[in-house]
Amino acid sequence: MDEEKDVEQRFGDAVNMTPKELEEWLATDESQSVGVGEGESVGHHSGRRIVEILRTRKADRTDEDHEHMRKVAGYVARHSKQRPDGDVTGTRWRYSLMNWGHDPLKD
């Protein structure tokens, strides 16, 4: 149970976009222009999954949800450390993080 609480905390710290904000972002051309994977990028798919998780009551979250939450927290932590110099407003770096539910301009 302590591990679940830790994952919930790290996920909550990493994801700073609301489900509505994330859904609106994922519908943009910018969101779909970044990431790896054929067809839908890994990050874009993750963003859709994050919306589902955010809309699920904590008590109803599954082991699979917690595993994805762990993955999201790790990705955001790693990718945030790679912040480029200067204004990041229109960068692929920011767009990629936003696909994972984190807008670095909200920090």
Side-chain angles (χ1 to χ4, degrees):
M1 191 61 156
D2 289 335
E3 185 178 338
E4 271 187 20
K5 285 183 182 179
D6 179 59
V7 169
E8 293 275 353
Q9 178 69 46
R10 292 189 304 120
F11 178 80
D13 291 345
V15 175
N16 66 357
M17 296 173 74
T18 66
K20 184 177 190 285
E21 288 172 326
L22 187 49
E23 277 183 325
E24 289 174 356
W25 165 251
L26 293 171
T28 67
D29 290 338
E30 291 87 351
S31 168
Q32 297 175 32
S33 72
V34 296
V36 294
E38 259 186 62
E40 183 179 38
S41 74
V42 172
H44 197 271
H45 180 267
S46 176
R48 289 189 303 106
R49 184 81 176 86
I50 292 165
V51 170
E52 291 173 11
I53 291 169
L54 290 172
R55 290 197 168 134
T56 301
R57 289 178 351 129
K58 286 184 180 184
D60 295 335
R61 290 180 179 163
T62 66
D63 289 343
E64 290 80 19
D65 292 338
H66 285 102
E67 183 58 37
H68 192 72
M69 293 165 72
R70 188 177 294 106
K71 182 177 180 179
V72 169
Y75 178 85
V76 170
R78 285 188 312 277
H79 200 64
S80 293
K81 292 178 184 174
Q82 300 169 1
R83 184 183 185 110
D85 293 332
D87 182 12
V88 297
T89 302
T91 62
R92 293 176 60 81
W93 175 83
R94 177 180 179 226
Y95 295 167
S96 180
L97 275 169
M98 288 176 71
N99 279 353
W100 289 79
H102 180 81
D103 184 351
L105 296 184
K106 286 181 128 185
D107 289 347

